[in-house]
Amino acid sequence: MEKLVIQGGRPVHGTVKVSGSKNAALPIIASSLLAAGSHTLHNIPRLRDIGTMVRLMEHIGAEAEWGDSLTIRTNRFSAIEAPYDLVKTMRASVLVLGPLVGQLRRARVSLPGGCAIGARPIDMHLKALEAMGAKIELKEGYVEVFARHLHGADITFNRVTVTGTENIMMAAVLADGTTTIHNAAREPEVVDLADHLVAMGAVVEGAGGDRIVIHGVDELTPKPHTVISDRIEAGTMLMAAGITGGELSIENFPAAMLETLVTRLKDAGMSITVEGNVAHARGGGRPRGINVATAPHPGFATDLQAQFMAYMSIANGTSIITETIFENRFMHVPELMRMGADIAIDGGIAVVKGVASLKGAPVMATDLRASASLVLAGLAAEGTTELRRIYHLDRGYERIEAKLRECGARIERQEDAE
Ligand code: EPU
């Protein structure tokens, strides 16, 4: 296993370039199952979850080749399943469900089970497929889906689901007739997938709004696609500048997708200006305590909550942070407290009383975004922070420690004996 060793207390200064979005790339890779042929995908980040998705595609029968871009060839299928071994390492493996049902009318996907941040069922994905004519059976931990006739349907999600919206969009593009998704996720990753499906010949209207209408077509044709920038990485970098009192120019910055975060960070006292696709971010002194509540897009992203909490832990004043998307997404709190943060949790609400400074400590990553928050805390803390279990971080951030090191951070990856 590896760990990160961070000597904190140094402002970051320099230029970083944001990689392609993990959560946009995952469904877009899966969507190549919907069209036979060769798919060239640009700006795919090289990180562990993408590797898992590529392995899953290979298991299903696709061929994958990495160069500057990722090429996926989908000329044959040798399996219709997402096996437990892959799903248990990455819940987003369920994203092959929609394309397999759309293309082959059959799929067998291991039920994901809970994960560190919550129970995370896929009941809404399954209910929607049922409404489209699919029969669903649960056998030995797998959900088996079979649709003799896959047809359009009027679907209302009772809460916003990102991968649920993506799965149903992908099933519906090759279904008979029209599918309408009400209360659809409005996340930019959904829009990127819809844009790609449309380029391949699908008819998808309204993505980015809460009502998406899909008219089924007979077939799709592969088209190249360039994945959008990772808004969560970009936001994490903004907060790296904020928490260290440093200054970063952030290239490939997806400003339109980060309006809520940028507003809150400015309220907290950061200076952020955007010119074209570059953001200039400057932190100075301790931030003001700012309240946020996570919400589906365009609200405050749950994937930025842990990093924001690290920043607020050194605020002047108190910040109330409410998590509304996942029931257990405060696993970073005890670790931040080991570094001297003063945080009390009551259900989905964290009350963060800012302290003058954090102190380095050995800490443990528990999930992807929690790890990012501990990296930020380590950059700001006095002394040395050792962050263990960084395989969580590697799932979703491309070269993060190299990028930060190039901006003056003292952060190193080391073999961990434990
Ligand atoms: N939910 C259900 N039933 C369902 C589906 C969802 O109860 O059938 C619940 C979930 O348990 C959760 C809420 O609805 O409480 C929202 O979950 P959603 O389905 O939107 O989450 P997701 O699609 O599984 C994606 C991202 C997450 C991100 C969330 C919320 C991908 C691959 N994953 O997950 O990203 O936090 O949306 O924005 O796109 C991450 O990158 O670290 C990450 C966890």
Side-chain angles (χ1 to χ4, degrees):
M1 271 211 242
E2 292 176 323
K3 63 181 176 185
L4 284 180
V5 180
I6 308 168
Q7 310 288 342
R10 282 167 69 92
V12 290
H13 278 282
T15 302
V16 290
K17 194 182 242 171
V18 177
S19 298
S21 159
K22 164 180 85 81
N23 287 349
L26 290 168
I28 284 171
I29 294 172
S31 77
S32 54
L33 295 171
L34 288 164
S38 183
H39 301 253
T40 306
L41 304 175
H42 307 292
N43 206 28
I44 303 285
R46 295 268 194 146
L47 36 86
R48 190 183 293 244
D49 275 8
I50 298 294
T52 307
M53 182 55 91
V54 168
R55 270 197 290 147
L56 178 53
M57 299 298 286
E58 288 172 336
H59 176 84
I60 292 171
E63 287 167 21
E65 196 181 310
W66 281 101
D68 287 344
S69 304
L70 173 65
T71 305
I72 306 263
R73 291 188 196 87
T74 48
N75 295 312
R76 62 181 197 99
F77 292 87
S78 51
I80 52 145
E81 68 163 22
Y84 176 64
D85 279 353
L86 293 176
V87 177
K88 75 168 193 254
T89 61
M90 186 184 68
R91 201 185 167 281
S93 305
V94 300
L95 280 166
V96 297
L97 181 61
L100 283 173
V101 174
Q103 178 71 290
L104 301 174
R105 305 300 197 241
R106 294 171 62 197
R108 184 169 185 270
V109 171
S110 169
L111 272 176
C115 75
I117 61 177
R120 302 184 78 184
I122 56 164
D123 56 311
M124 292 191 289
H125 305 221
L126 300 180
K127 225 172 122 194
L129 287 172
E130 231 162 16
M132 296 173 73
K135 298 264 171 299
I136 296 189
E137 278 188 50
L138 210 73
K139 278 192 194 154
E140 294 158 0
Y142 279 75
V143 33
E144 298 190 355
V145 184
F146 171 66
R148 194 179 302 280
H149 176 212
L150 191 71
H151 54 76
D154 216 44
I155 288 156
T156 303
F157 286 127
N158 52 29
R159 62 184 292 188
V160 173
T161 165
V162 176
T163 50
T165 302
E166 292 165 346
N167 254 335
I168 298 313
M169 254 168 41
M170 291 191 279
V173 287
L174 293 179
D176 289 333
T178 298
T179 300
T180 305
I181 306 176
H182 303 274
N183 199 24
R186 299 166 61 188
E187 269 64 7
E189 295 76 18
V190 172
V191 178
D192 203 27
L193 172 65
D195 287 347
H196 182 48
L197 293 171
V198 167
M200 291 200 291
V203 183
V204 181
E205 294 155 3
D210 61 3
R211 181 171 163 274
I212 301 180
V213 180
I214 303 124
H215 302 286
V217 297
D218 288 341
E219 67 174 356
L220 302 185
T221 321
K223 283 286 178 295
H225 185 78
T226 301
V227 164
I228 54 174
S229 291
D230 195 311
R231 63 193 168 104
I232 307 302
E233 184 198 348
T236 304
M237 288 299 180
L238 285 178
M239 290 185 269
I243 199 168
T244 63
E247 199 164 349
L248 289 179
S249 294
I250 306 172
E251 297 178 350
N252 291 349
F253 186 82
M257 305 173 194
L258 278 169
E259 282 173 2
T260 304
L261 176 72
V262 166
T263 305
R264 303 319 272 149
L265 292 177
K266 284 183 177 170
D267 293 344
M270 278 190 73
S271 151
I272 301 171
T273 54
V274 180
E275 280 174 88
N277 71 347
V278 182
H280 303 283
R282 183 157 35 87
R286 293 171 64 190
R288 269 188 291 280
I290 294 290
N291 301 341
V292 299
T294 62
H297 194 75
F300 192 96
T302 173
D303 289 347
L304 290 165
Q305 176 262 109
Q307 302 90 313
F308 191 80
M309 191 182 298
Y311 187 31
M312 287 297 109
S313 68
I314 57 160
N316 243 320
T318 297
S319 155
I320 296 173
I321 299 182
T322 309
E323 172 59 52
T324 70
I325 308 291
F326 293 110
E327 65 268 30
N328 193 23
R329 212 173 197 182
F330 282 148
M331 306 272 280
H332 42 286
V333 169
E335 304 300 308
L336 289 172
M337 288 173 70
R338 305 193 68 245
M339 301 177 71
D342 179 352
I343 305 169
I345 301 178
D346 182 5
I349 298 175
V351 179
V352 186
K353 289 192 184 139
V355 295
S357 64
L358 297 174
K359 311 277 183 282
V363 288
M364 195 91 92
T366 48
D367 72 71
L368 170 55
R369 308 303 171 188
S371 350
S373 101
L374 296 172
V375 169
L376 295 184
L379 292 177
E382 293 164 7
T384 306
T385 295
E386 291 199 357
L387 174 58
R388 296 206 154 78
R389 301 205 180 159
I390 53 169
Y391 52 85
H392 289 294
L393 189 68
D394 294 336
R395 289 186 50 192
Y397 286 90
E398 188 179 52
R399 297 180 63 246
I400 188 168
E401 84 264 22
K403 289 185 186 184
L404 290 167
R405 203 165 41 234
E406 283 156 20
C407 295
R410 288 199 195 143
I411 174 166
E412 257 184 53
R413 185 176 286 255
Q414 291 180 6
E415 245 341 286
D416 187 8
E418 272 180 36

